């Protein structure tokens, strides 16, 4: 199949037409979380970005194998080659087994990503479940002369590699720059030939809990090994897309490229894609900096920087309202704007179901509706330009508002096209579940919301009878009581309509 999708390849620093290696099959690997704490907004962005890509590729007809790993060993403090394993440290503090910590936070991650509307990946491998594959990778690199043993640990020999290949092609760094930046780094000092070399296998110190036998020592794999080993296991020696946050370009993804080339003689990934960072006050949001807000805090409003609770769909909308390669600076005001934007879409989707077709469209409605689908496709095909997609959808919302107010007309064919296009891009591709946007914030299920709807319809029938009997006091009381419960009633010449007004949720 011929693809019109264009994506930005970090490796070549330009947009490229997406042409899979083995169409219609697509292999996509995305770096997942290190599970030692609750997921925060910084975890949500890559999950939503690559969920969007996963959804769109499948919509285009590709058969996608989406692999996203769980890091449950080997990720040391400060992303270094020395120090304590992040999960083991948490386990020591909590007086639990490391796998208890990993399982608990993996479950928490899954629950948060499900709430954000992220589809589960095809395969979710754990680093601890692939120790053998990582040892095999290390042995291949040793056999090819690009690694060395030192005191039971194995290090990647960057200078030996750089003589035949080029280390730094993804980040654009030269070997000299990398070596200069590493001179003050004391990780593994005395063991490495060069301070820029990185660990492939580390000999475990006596106090290190997580360890496995190997030909070199009882130890554990280096952080960078897992993604190379698991990507190759499930997607082959060459696959299409490797994704992750921009903070992983160096050193993690740079090391992955070197490991793949050193072990198999050629690169493993065709397109490298990276989402930009979530910032707070201009600084990257992350656990290591202590400036993060967990997703649970967003959903409950229990944080000093939040004025209220925000539904998972508001968070998803907030992230999609910026291009994935641009930075997004968090603020409570920005989330309030996102909530209003989502409410506009939600109301339009609800109103659209009540629009009645006419014999023909007016010129403006016909122009917007007939070009809407293609304009949205054009934006998605241009490196997943979601802000432009939302702009086109909001233009359609304006048309829907005019149709609801009987200030525009639409023919049956265009009405069907508008309904299908809105559902396709809002729900299926952007993954914005408008039906769940109210219930998610309040903790109500979709089924409960539907039950509310039937009750409201019955109450509005009683109100209509009161109005017919000129019992204005009862009519106004019903309207006001519904408004207090979060249901906005609007009288039209076709009768009363209602919508969920998504009231602000108080902080608890």
């Amino acid at each position: 199949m011929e693809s019109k999708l264009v994506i930005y390849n970090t490796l070549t620093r330009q947009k490229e037409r997406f042409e899979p290696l083995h169409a219609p099959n697509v292999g996509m690997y995305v770096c997942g979380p290190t599970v030692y704490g609750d997921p925060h907004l910084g975890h949500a962005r890559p999950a939503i970005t690559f969920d969007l890509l996963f959804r769109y590729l499948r919509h285009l007809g590709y058969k996608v194998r989406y692999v996203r790993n769980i890091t449950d060993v080997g990720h040391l403090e400060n992303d270094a080659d020395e120090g304590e394993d992040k999960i083991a440290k948490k386990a020591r503090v909590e007086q639990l087994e490391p796998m208890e910590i990993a399982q608990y936070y993996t479950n928490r991650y899954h629950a948060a990503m499900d709430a954000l509307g992220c589809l589960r990946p095809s395969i979710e491998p754990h680093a601890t479940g692939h120790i053998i594959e990582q040892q095999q990778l290390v042995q291949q690199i040793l056999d090819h002369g690009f690694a060395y043993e030192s005191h039971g640990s194995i290090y990647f020999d960057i200078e030996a590699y750089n003589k035949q290949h080029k280390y730094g092609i993804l980040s654009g760094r030269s070997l000299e720059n990398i070596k200069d930046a590493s001179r003050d780094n004391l990780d593994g000092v005395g063991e490495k030939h060069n301070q820029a070399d990185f660990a492939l296998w580390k000999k475990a110190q006596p106090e290190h809990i997580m360890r496995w036998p190997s030909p070199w020592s009882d130890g554990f794999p280096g952080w960078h090994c897992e993604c190379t080993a698991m990507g190759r296991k499930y997607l082959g020696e060459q696959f299409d897309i490797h994704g992750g946050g921009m903070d992983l370009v160096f050193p993690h993804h740079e090391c992955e490229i070197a490991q793949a080339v050193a072990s198999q003689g050629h690169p493993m990934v065709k397109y490298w894609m990276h989402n930009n960072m979530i910032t707070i006050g201009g600084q990257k949001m992350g656990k290591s900096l202590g400036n993060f807000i967990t997703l649970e805090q967003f959903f409950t409003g229990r944080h000093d920087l939040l004025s209220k609770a925000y539904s998972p769909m508001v968070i998803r909308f907030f992230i999609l309202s910026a291009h994935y390669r641009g930075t997004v600076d968090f603020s409570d005001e920005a989330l309030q704007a996102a909530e209003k934007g989502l409410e506009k879409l939600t109301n339009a989707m609800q109103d659209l179901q009540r629009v009645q077709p006419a014999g023909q469209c007016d010129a403006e409605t016909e122009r917007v509706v007939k070009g809407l689908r293609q304009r949205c496709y054009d934006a998605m095909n241009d490196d997943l330009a979601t802000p432009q997609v939302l702009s086109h959808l909001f233009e359609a919302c304006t048309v829907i508002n005019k149709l609801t107010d009987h200030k525009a007309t639409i023919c049956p064919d265009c009405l069907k096209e508008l309904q299908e296009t809105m559902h396709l891009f809002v729900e299926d591709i952007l993954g914005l579940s408008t039906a769940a946007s109210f219930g998610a914030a309040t903790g109500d299920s979709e089924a409960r919301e539907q039950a509310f709807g039937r009750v409201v319809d019955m109450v509005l029938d009683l109100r209509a009878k009161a109005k017919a009997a000129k019992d204005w006091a009862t009519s106004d009381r019903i309207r006001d009581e519904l408004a207090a419960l979060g249901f906005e009633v609007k009288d039209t010449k076709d009768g009363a309509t209602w919508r969920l007004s998504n009231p602000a949720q108080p902080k608890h």
Side-chain angles (χ1 to χ4, degrees), residues 65-306:
R65 179 176 289 172
Y66 173 18
V67 181
R68 186 183 66 204
N69 68 296
I70 294 289
T71 297
D72 54 2
V73 70
H75 198 168
L76 306 187
E77 294 180 285
N78 302 315
D79 302 344
D81 284 341
E82 295 294 321
E84 197 167 6
D85 184 289
K86 293 182 177 184
I87 293 170
K89 179 179 180 180
K90 184 78 170 182
R92 177 174 54 78
V93 171
E94 299 289 339
Q95 295 185 318
L96 296 169
E97 283 289 327
M99 286 301 99
E100 284 184 276
I101 294 294
Q103 188 64 58
Y104 176 78
Y105 287 112
T106 297
N107 293 345
R108 302 274 286 177
Y109 177 80
H110 285 156
M113 296 309 115
D114 289 347
L116 290 169
C118 294
L119 303 175
R120 294 286 180 102
S122 314
I123 303 172
E124 192 175 56
H126 291 232
T128 54
H130 297 78
I131 300 296
I132 292 174
E133 289 84 356
Q134 292 175 80
Q135 289 180 351
Q136 290 171 338
L137 171 69
V138 173
Q139 189 61 58
Q140 289 170 340
I141 297 172
L142 275 168
D143 292 344
H144 294 160
F146 297 117
Y148 56 89
E149 181 177 356
S150 179
H151 304 284
S153 294
I154 309 297
Y155 292 98
F156 190 93
D157 192 332
I158 288 181
E159 286 199 333
Y161 176 83
N162 206 56
K163 289 176 182 176
Q164 298 184 38
H165 307 286
K166 177 170 172 52
Y167 184 79
I169 59 172
L170 187 67
S171 61
R173 305 186 187 199
S174 69
L175 181 58
E176 287 308 311
N177 287 339
I178 294 167
K179 288 165 69 175
D180 287 345
S182 302
R183 282 188 181 130
D184 295 330
N185 183 2
L186 299 179
D187 294 340
V189 66
E191 292 187 358
K192 298 181 182 181
H193 293 175
N194 188 304
Q195 284 309 110
D197 295 345
F198 58 90
L200 298 172
W201 182 267
K202 283 292 295 180
K203 180 180 180 180
Q205 298 303 311
E207 67 275 9
H208 202 97
I209 305 171
M210 304 175 80
R211 60 174 67 214
W212 290 262
S214 79
W216 318 291
S217 63
D218 278 6
F220 54 92
W223 172 41
H224 310 303
C225 287
E226 60 175 302
C227 293
T228 304
M230 295 190 294
R232 184 165 66 182
K233 178 179 178 67
Y234 295 109
L235 299 174
E237 288 193 355
Q238 287 184 296
F239 57 88
D240 300 297
I241 298 169
H242 194 315
M246 196 170 288
D247 56 333
L248 297 177
V249 170
F250 186 88
H252 187 52
H253 289 164
E254 197 75 78
C255 294
E256 279 194 60
I257 291 175
Q259 289 170 160
V261 173
S263 63
Q264 64 189 26
H266 57 81
M268 190 165 65
V269 178
K270 185 174 182 181
Y271 303 98
W272 286 88
M273 296 182 68
H274 295 90
N275 64 272
N276 214 320
M277 299 293 99
I278 300 281
T279 58
I280 179 167
Q283 187 179 37
K284 174 197 164 186
M285 181 182 285
K287 283 198 188 85
S288 59
L289 298 171
N291 65 350
F292 64 95
I293 302 175
T294 69
L295 292 172
E296 182 182 45
Q297 288 171 325
F298 280 108
F299 301 160
T300 61
R302 294 171 186 162
H303 193 282
D304 290 343
L305 294 177
L306 300 174

Side-chain angles (χ1 to χ4, degrees), residues 233-409:
K233 178 179 178 67
Y234 295 109
L235 299 174
E237 288 193 355
Q238 287 184 296
F239 57 88
D240 300 297
I241 298 169
H242 194 315
M246 196 170 288
D247 56 333
L248 297 177
V249 170
F250 186 88
H252 187 52
H253 289 164
E254 197 75 78
C255 294
E256 279 194 60
I257 291 175
Q259 289 170 160
V261 173
S263 63
Q264 64 189 26
H266 57 81
M268 190 165 65
V269 178
K270 185 174 182 181
Y271 303 98
W272 286 88
M273 296 182 68
H274 295 90
N275 64 272
N276 214 320
M277 299 293 99
I278 300 281
T279 58
I280 179 167
Q283 187 179 37
K284 174 197 164 186
M285 181 182 285
K287 283 198 188 85
S288 59
L289 298 171
N291 65 350
F292 64 95
I293 302 175
T294 69
L295 292 172
E296 182 182 45
Q297 288 171 325
F298 280 108
F299 301 160
T300 61
R302 294 171 186 162
H303 193 282
D304 290 343
L305 294 177
L306 300 174
S307 63
K308 56 186 287 189
Y310 293 97
S311 79
M313 284 300 110
V314 169
I315 303 301
R316 187 177 180 101
F317 183 96
F318 170 66
I319 288 173
L320 292 174
S321 62
H323 191 273
Y324 77 92
R325 287 194 290 114
T327 57
V328 175
D329 196 51
F330 157 79
S331 69
D332 190 67
E333 293 75 17
L335 286 180
Q336 290 181 31
E339 187 173 60
K340 290 178 181 177
L342 178 63
E343 185 178 6
K344 184 176 181 180
L345 275 182
T346 300
N347 291 340
M349 294 288 281
Q350 292 175 351
D351 289 343
L352 187 55
Q353 303 310 309
R354 295 190 286 268
V355 170
Q356 296 298 314
Q360 62 182 15
C361 297
D362 64 85
E364 177 64 10
T365 298
E366 185 174 23
R367 180 194 70 79
V368 172
V369 172
K370 287 193 172 179
L372 178 62
R373 188 181 297 242
Q374 191 56 54
R375 288 194 295 274
C376 289
Y377 274 131
D378 290 344
M380 284 298 297
N381 287 334
D382 184 14
D383 195 31
L384 311 179
T386 53
Q388 282 66 45
V389 175
L390 289 170
S391 175
H392 299 320
L393 294 173
F394 282 138
E395 185 180 18
C397 290
T398 301
V399 169
I400 293 168
N401 290 339
K402 290 181 179 179
L403 291 168
T404 304
D405 293 338
H406 302 283
K407 296 178 181 177
T409 57

Side-chain angles (χ1 to χ4, degrees), residues 438-506:
F438 177 78
T442 61
D444 296 336
S445 67
E446 187 174 344
R448 188 175 179 185
E449 183 183 331
Q450 291 170 349
F452 277 152
R454 289 193 292 271
V455 172
V456 174
D457 287 339
M458 286 192 295
V459 172
L460 287 180
D461 284 341
L462 294 174
R463 180 171 178 265
K465 290 175 182 177
K467 289 182 70 176
K470 300 187 185 303
D471 184 357
W472 309 119
T474 300
S475 170
D476 290 346
R477 181 184 174 190
I478 291 173
R479 181 198 60 207
D480 294 343
E481 289 288 345
L482 286 172
L485 292 170
F487 297 93
E488 179 185 340
V489 176
K490 183 177 181 181
D491 290 310
T492 73
K493 70 178 186 178
D494 295 325
T497 64
W498 64 270
R499 63 168 60 122
L500 295 167
S501 58
N502 201 5
Q505 299 303 306

